[in-house]
Amino acid sequence: MIRPRSLTTTLALAFAATTLAVFGLVGTFVYFALEQQVKVQDDLDIVLAARHTRRLADELTDYGDILQHQERLESQVLGNEALSLRILDSAGKTLVQHNVNPAIAALERPAAAVPANAQITERSILPLATAAGEPIRALAVDALLQNGTTATIVVMRNMHDRWVLLDRYRDKLNVAGMLGVLLAFCIGYFLVRRAMRPVREMATDAASITSDKLHTRIEMSRIPTELEPLVVSLNGMLAGLESSFQRLSQFTADLAHDMRTPLSNMRGAMEVALARPRPVEEYQATLESSLEECERLSRMIENVLFLARAEHPQFSKNMRVIDGGKELQHIGDYFEGLADDAGVHIVVCGSATLRVDVELFRRAVSNLLANAMRFTPAQGAITLSIHDAGDMIRVCVENEGAPIHPSLLERIFDRFYRADPSRGASGTAAGSAGLGLAIVRTIMDLHGGRAHAESDARSTRFILTFPVVEAPGLPARQE
């Protein structure tokens, strides 16, 4: 498997590629600008030489004067070894030539010459080439002698030296560009690596966080502004993991303790029963006691499984609109027999429209009602009420009895929580596994609502707050 390229190398290569592109564009522009400037300057030299030579030739009488004043005519191209001069008669015979090497001499006379009375400009210059491929720029002009004859002046410029100059300049640009790219890569790599140091430090800090160090957080003081949202998210994730890990550890310990109790009860009862022969009635009583403990374990396991499933993101809910008052009355009727046995009176009042999962709603209210029945004194009353508070629907289960200490009102919704530190039956009935209120809070979280408790000397109230959800086609909530 090919290892991915590091971010530092990638950014350094990006800097180098950018530098290469910039150097390439600038170098190309400078190269062609120089080439054009050299061409303009050389053409200007050719034009000036041709103008001066024609002006001198116009003052001569005939071809003989041209031969006689050869040195004067040749002086127009002296000082520049790349310039060549040829003067031809009307028949094309060479009268004067200067600095014409065999390669240039073999060139044919330009097809068109500037007329004697026409202005000489750079547009009249013709590009030629020798057999060896050397570039030549030539200008042919006619000069009218005093006797009326015409002589053709050909001024040529060998561009080979310019080729060599531009080639060397281009090579230097290439070398400078490659060195610039290499330098940009090295500097970019150094700067990016320096800039990425906080990321490496952050990775080191993250690597040091283990299951026994979940309280550790990534230091924010050395983090660049651009990485602050990422570090905040990571620290938030670590806080969530720490909280979940602590809850899981506490949950595991509580679950082990609560499962150990019924198992110990069953084992003790069986050991006593098997210690000596006993009547059938005692064996039957032992089996009934063990069956009750098995049922208690079964309920505990069922509740734990429900809580585990409810925390899954894909937990399905069958939401529909119901009449909350009628549903509370139905739940109250279901518990009427148990309430009569406990000497408790159940009162249902209020009405409001809810959008809930009916089964989950019944389970939450039933858990609260069962919990209230355990702590309501004989001849006491339990009130199930529902009302529309405008921006929320409040369902309340209120019972008479001893108040709950304010410091415990939130903790009683924790899983396996016992109000009594000794984990005795105080605060939770013997038949309870300490999961009923935890299930209520989980159900309310699934509905986007809230569960909380209030308690004073008059009564204890467990309140379920549901959000008001209105959708097209659903019955409007009652006012």
Short mmCIF file of all heavy atoms in Angstrom, two decimals, residues 389-427:
data_model
loop_
_atom_site.label_atom_id
_atom_site.label_comp_id
_atom_site.label_asym_id
_atom_site.label_seq_id
_atom_site.Cartn_x
_atom_site.Cartn_y
_atom_site.Cartn_z
N ALA A 389 -49.56 24.25 28.66
CA ALA A 389 -48.95 25.44 29.24
C ALA A 389 -48.58 26.48 28.19
O ALA A 389 -47.78 27.37 28.44
CB ALA A 389 -47.70 25.05 30.03
N GLY A 390 -49.13 26.35 27.00
CA GLY A 390 -48.86 27.32 25.93
C GLY A 390 -47.77 26.83 24.99
O GLY A 390 -48.04 26.48 23.84
N ASP A 391 -46.54 26.82 25.46
CA ASP A 391 -45.45 26.37 24.62
C ASP A 391 -45.01 24.95 24.95
O ASP A 391 -44.00 24.47 24.43
CB ASP A 391 -44.25 27.31 24.76
CG ASP A 391 -43.78 27.41 26.20
OD1 ASP A 391 -44.54 27.00 27.11
OD2 ASP A 391 -42.65 27.91 26.42
N MET A 392 -45.75 24.27 25.84
CA MET A 392 -45.41 22.90 26.22
C MET A 392 -46.65 22.22 26.80
O MET A 392 -47.62 22.88 27.20
CB MET A 392 -44.27 22.88 27.23
CG MET A 392 -44.63 23.52 28.57
SD MET A 392 -43.23 23.60 29.70
CE MET A 392 -42.26 24.89 28.90
N ILE A 393 -46.58 20.90 26.84
CA ILE A 393 -47.62 20.09 27.46
C ILE A 393 -47.01 19.47 28.71
O ILE A 393 -45.97 18.81 28.64
CB ILE A 393 -48.14 18.99 26.52
CG1 ILE A 393 -48.60 19.59 25.19
CG2 ILE A 393 -49.25 18.21 27.20
CD1 ILE A 393 -49.77 20.52 25.31
N ARG A 394 -47.67 19.67 29.87
CA ARG A 394 -47.15 19.17 31.14
C ARG A 394 -48.03 18.03 31.65
O ARG A 394 -49.25 18.19 31.80
CB ARG A 394 -47.09 20.29 32.19
CG ARG A 394 -46.03 21.33 31.88
CD ARG A 394 -46.22 22.57 32.75
NE ARG A 394 -46.14 22.25 34.17
CZ ARG A 394 -45.04 22.37 34.91
NH1 ARG A 394 -43.91 22.78 34.32
NH2 ARG A 394 -45.03 22.10 36.20
N VAL A 395 -47.39 16.88 31.89
CA VAL A 395 -48.05 15.73 32.51
C VAL A 395 -47.46 15.58 33.90
O VAL A 395 -46.23 15.49 34.05
CB VAL A 395 -47.85 14.45 31.68
CG1 VAL A 395 -48.47 13.26 32.39
CG2 VAL A 395 -48.46 14.62 30.29
N CYS A 396 -48.30 15.54 34.90
CA CYS A 396 -47.82 15.53 36.29
C CYS A 396 -48.40 14.32 37.03
O CYS A 396 -49.60 14.03 36.95
CB CYS A 396 -48.22 16.82 37.00
SG CYS A 396 -47.68 16.92 38.72
N VAL A 397 -47.51 13.62 37.75
CA VAL A 397 -47.91 12.53 38.66
C VAL A 397 -47.58 13.01 40.07
O VAL A 397 -46.40 13.13 40.43
CB VAL A 397 -47.19 11.22 38.33
CG1 VAL A 397 -47.60 10.13 39.32
CG2 VAL A 397 -47.47 10.80 36.90
N GLU A 398 -48.61 13.29 40.86
CA GLU A 398 -48.43 13.89 42.18
C GLU A 398 -48.93 12.93 43.25
O GLU A 398 -50.00 12.34 43.12
CB GLU A 398 -49.18 15.22 42.26
CG GLU A 398 -49.02 15.93 43.58
CD GLU A 398 -49.75 17.26 43.60
OE1 GLU A 398 -50.45 17.57 42.60
OE2 GLU A 398 -49.64 18.00 44.59
N ASN A 399 -48.14 12.74 44.28
CA ASN A 399 -48.55 11.86 45.37
C ASN A 399 -48.20 12.47 46.72
O ASN A 399 -47.25 13.24 46.85
CB ASN A 399 -47.90 10.49 45.25
CG ASN A 399 -46.40 10.54 45.48
OD1 ASN A 399 -45.65 10.96 44.59
ND2 ASN A 399 -45.95 10.11 46.65
N GLU A 400 -49.01 12.13 47.73
CA GLU A 400 -48.71 12.54 49.09
C GLU A 400 -47.63 11.63 49.65
O GLU A 400 -47.39 10.54 49.16
CB GLU A 400 -49.98 12.46 49.94
CG GLU A 400 -51.12 13.31 49.41
CD GLU A 400 -52.41 13.06 50.16
OE1 GLU A 400 -52.43 12.15 51.02
OE2 GLU A 400 -53.41 13.75 49.88
N GLY A 401 -46.96 12.11 50.68
CA GLY A 401 -45.93 11.30 51.30
C GLY A 401 -44.76 12.13 51.74
O GLY A 401 -44.74 13.36 51.63
N ALA A 402 -43.74 11.42 52.26
CA ALA A 402 -42.54 12.11 52.77
C ALA A 402 -41.83 12.82 51.62
O ALA A 402 -41.71 12.27 50.51
CB ALA A 402 -41.60 11.11 53.43
N PRO A 403 -41.36 14.06 51.84
CA PRO A 403 -40.69 14.79 50.75
C PRO A 403 -39.30 14.22 50.45
O PRO A 403 -38.68 13.54 51.28
CB PRO A 403 -40.60 16.21 51.32
CG PRO A 403 -40.57 16.03 52.80
CD PRO A 403 -41.46 14.84 53.08
N ILE A 404 -38.82 14.51 49.24
CA ILE A 404 -37.48 14.11 48.81
C ILE A 404 -36.56 15.30 49.03
O ILE A 404 -36.90 16.44 48.71
CB ILE A 404 -37.48 13.70 47.33
CG1 ILE A 404 -38.46 12.54 47.10
CG2 ILE A 404 -36.09 13.30 46.87
CD1 ILE A 404 -38.61 12.16 45.65
N HIS A 405 -35.39 15.03 49.53
CA HIS A 405 -34.44 16.11 49.79
C HIS A 405 -34.09 16.80 48.46
O HIS A 405 -33.89 16.14 47.43
CB HIS A 405 -33.17 15.56 50.44
CG HIS A 405 -32.30 16.63 51.02
ND1 HIS A 405 -31.38 17.34 50.26
CD2 HIS A 405 -32.22 17.12 52.29
CE1 HIS A 405 -30.76 18.21 51.04
NE2 HIS A 405 -31.25 18.11 52.28
N PRO A 406 -33.99 18.14 48.44
CA PRO A 406 -33.72 18.86 47.17
C PRO A 406 -32.45 18.40 46.46
O PRO A 406 -32.39 18.41 45.23
CB PRO A 406 -33.61 20.32 47.62
CG PRO A 406 -34.42 20.39 48.87
CD PRO A 406 -34.25 19.07 49.55
N SER A 407 -31.44 17.97 47.21
CA SER A 407 -30.19 17.55 46.57
C SER A 407 -30.34 16.24 45.82
O SER A 407 -29.48 15.87 45.01
CB SER A 407 -29.09 17.40 47.63
OG SER A 407 -29.43 16.39 48.57
N LEU A 408 -31.45 15.52 46.05
CA LEU A 408 -31.65 14.22 45.41
C LEU A 408 -32.61 14.27 44.24
O LEU A 408 -32.81 13.26 43.56
CB LEU A 408 -32.16 13.20 46.43
CG LEU A 408 -31.31 13.01 47.70
CD1 LEU A 408 -31.96 11.99 48.61
CD2 LEU A 408 -29.90 12.58 47.34
N LEU A 409 -33.23 15.43 44.00
CA LEU A 409 -34.30 15.50 42.99
C LEU A 409 -33.80 15.16 41.59
O LEU A 409 -34.56 14.64 40.77
CB LEU A 409 -34.93 16.89 43.01
CG LEU A 409 -35.79 17.19 44.25
CD1 LEU A 409 -36.32 18.62 44.19
CD2 LEU A 409 -36.93 16.20 44.36
N GLU A 410 -32.55 15.49 41.27
CA GLU A 410 -32.03 15.17 39.94
C GLU A 410 -31.40 13.78 39.93
O GLU A 410 -31.51 13.05 38.94
CB GLU A 410 -30.99 16.22 39.52
CG GLU A 410 -31.60 17.51 39.02
CD GLU A 410 -32.46 17.29 37.79
OE1 GLU A 410 -32.06 16.51 36.91
OE2 GLU A 410 -33.55 17.89 37.72
N ARG A 411 -30.77 13.40 41.03
CA ARG A 411 -30.05 12.12 41.05
C ARG A 411 -30.98 10.92 41.04
O ARG A 411 -30.57 9.82 40.67
CB ARG A 411 -29.14 12.06 42.27
CG ARG A 411 -28.06 13.13 42.29
CD ARG A 411 -27.01 12.81 43.32
NE ARG A 411 -26.34 11.55 43.02
CZ ARG A 411 -25.50 10.92 43.85
NH1 ARG A 411 -25.24 11.43 45.04
NH2 ARG A 411 -24.94 9.78 43.50
N ILE A 412 -32.23 11.11 41.46
CA ILE A 412 -33.13 9.96 41.51
C ILE A 412 -33.44 9.42 40.11
O ILE A 412 -33.94 8.30 39.97
CB ILE A 412 -34.45 10.32 42.22
CG1 ILE A 412 -35.14 11.49 41.53
CG2 ILE A 412 -34.20 10.61 43.68
CD1 ILE A 412 -36.48 11.85 42.14
N PHE A 413 -33.12 10.19 39.07
CA PHE A 413 -33.33 9.72 37.69
C PHE A 413 -32.13 8.93 37.17
O PHE A 413 -32.17 8.43 36.05
CB PHE A 413 -33.62 10.89 36.75
CG PHE A 413 -34.97 11.51 36.96
CD1 PHE A 413 -35.13 12.62 37.77
CD2 PHE A 413 -36.09 10.96 36.34
CE1 PHE A 413 -36.37 13.20 37.95
CE2 PHE A 413 -37.34 11.54 36.53
CZ PHE A 413 -37.48 12.65 37.34
N ASP A 414 -31.05 8.85 37.95
CA ASP A 414 -29.89 8.07 37.51
C ASP A 414 -30.18 6.59 37.63
O ASP A 414 -30.97 6.14 38.48
CB ASP A 414 -28.66 8.43 38.35
CG ASP A 414 -28.22 9.87 38.14
OD1 ASP A 414 -28.62 10.45 37.11
OD2 ASP A 414 -27.48 10.40 38.99
N ARG A 415 -29.49 5.83 36.81
CA ARG A 415 -29.69 4.38 36.82
C ARG A 415 -29.16 3.76 38.11
O ARG A 415 -28.05 4.08 38.55
CB ARG A 415 -28.99 3.74 35.62
CG ARG A 415 -29.50 4.25 34.29
CD ARG A 415 -28.73 3.66 33.15
NE ARG A 415 -29.13 4.27 31.87
CZ ARG A 415 -28.62 3.95 30.69
NH1 ARG A 415 -27.68 3.03 30.62
NH2 ARG A 415 -29.04 4.55 29.60
N PHE A 416 -29.95 2.89 38.71
CA PHE A 416 -29.60 2.14 39.93
C PHE A 416 -29.35 3.04 41.13
O PHE A 416 -28.71 2.63 42.09
CB PHE A 416 -28.36 1.26 39.69
CG PHE A 416 -28.55 0.20 38.65
CD1 PHE A 416 -27.97 0.32 37.40
CD2 PHE A 416 -29.32 -0.92 38.92
CE1 PHE A 416 -28.14 -0.65 36.44
CE2 PHE A 416 -29.49 -1.90 37.96
CZ PHE A 416 -28.91 -1.77 36.72
N TYR A 417 -29.83 4.29 41.04
CA TYR A 417 -29.55 5.17 42.17
C TYR A 417 -30.43 4.80 43.36
O TYR A 417 -31.63 4.53 43.21
CB TYR A 417 -29.80 6.63 41.79
CG TYR A 417 -29.56 7.57 42.95
CD1 TYR A 417 -28.27 7.83 43.38
CD2 TYR A 417 -30.64 8.14 43.63
CE1 TYR A 417 -28.05 8.68 44.46
CE2 TYR A 417 -30.42 8.99 44.70
CZ TYR A 417 -29.12 9.24 45.11
OH TYR A 417 -28.90 10.06 46.19
N ARG A 418 -29.82 4.79 44.54
CA ARG A 418 -30.54 4.56 45.78
C ARG A 418 -30.37 5.80 46.66
O ARG A 418 -29.26 6.27 46.85
CB ARG A 418 -29.99 3.34 46.54
CG ARG A 418 -30.16 2.02 45.80
CD ARG A 418 -31.64 1.65 45.72
NE ARG A 418 -31.80 0.24 45.42
CZ ARG A 418 -31.77 -0.28 44.21
NH1 ARG A 418 -31.54 0.51 43.18
NH2 ARG A 418 -31.95 -1.57 44.01
N ALA A 419 -31.45 6.30 47.18
CA ALA A 419 -31.35 7.47 48.04
C ALA A 419 -30.58 7.16 49.31
O ALA A 419 -29.94 8.02 49.89
CB ALA A 419 -32.75 7.99 48.40
N ASP A 420 -30.62 5.92 49.74
CA ASP A 420 -29.90 5.52 50.94
C ASP A 420 -28.49 5.09 50.54
O ASP A 420 -28.32 4.17 49.76
CB ASP A 420 -30.64 4.35 51.61
CG ASP A 420 -30.02 3.98 52.94
OD1 ASP A 420 -28.96 4.55 53.27
OD2 ASP A 420 -30.59 3.12 53.63
N PRO A 421 -27.41 5.72 51.06
CA PRO A 421 -26.06 5.34 50.69
C PRO A 421 -25.74 3.90 50.97
O PRO A 421 -24.86 3.32 50.35
CB PRO A 421 -25.19 6.29 51.54
CG PRO A 421 -26.08 7.45 51.85
CD PRO A 421 -27.44 6.87 51.97
N SER A 422 -26.41 3.28 51.92
CA SER A 422 -26.14 1.87 52.23
C SER A 422 -26.76 0.94 51.23
O SER A 422 -26.62 -0.28 51.34
CB SER A 422 -26.68 1.56 53.63
OG SER A 422 -28.10 1.67 53.66
N ARG A 423 -27.49 1.48 50.24
CA ARG A 423 -28.15 0.70 49.19
C ARG A 423 -29.23 -0.23 49.75
O ARG A 423 -29.52 -1.26 49.18
CB ARG A 423 -27.14 -0.14 48.39
CG ARG A 423 -26.22 0.69 47.54
CD ARG A 423 -25.27 -0.21 46.79
NE ARG A 423 -24.42 0.55 45.91
CZ ARG A 423 -24.69 0.82 44.65
NH1 ARG A 423 -25.82 0.41 44.13
NH2 ARG A 423 -23.86 1.50 43.90
N GLY A 424 -29.77 0.18 50.81
CA GLY A 424 -30.85 -0.60 51.36
C GLY A 424 -32.13 -0.33 50.62
O GLY A 424 -32.18 0.33 49.60
N ALA A 425 -33.22 -0.78 51.19
CA ALA A 425 -34.51 -0.59 50.54
C ALA A 425 -35.00 0.83 50.68
O ALA A 425 -35.91 1.24 49.99
CB ALA A 425 -35.53 -1.56 51.13
N SER A 426 -34.38 1.60 51.54
CA SER A 426 -34.83 2.97 51.72
C SER A 426 -34.63 3.76 50.46
O SER A 426 -33.58 3.80 49.89
CB SER A 426 -34.02 3.63 52.87
OG SER A 426 -34.32 4.98 52.96
N GLY A 427 -35.65 4.45 50.03
CA GLY A 427 -35.57 5.25 48.82
C GLY A 427 -36.02 4.49 47.61
O GLY A 427 -36.34 5.06 46.61
#
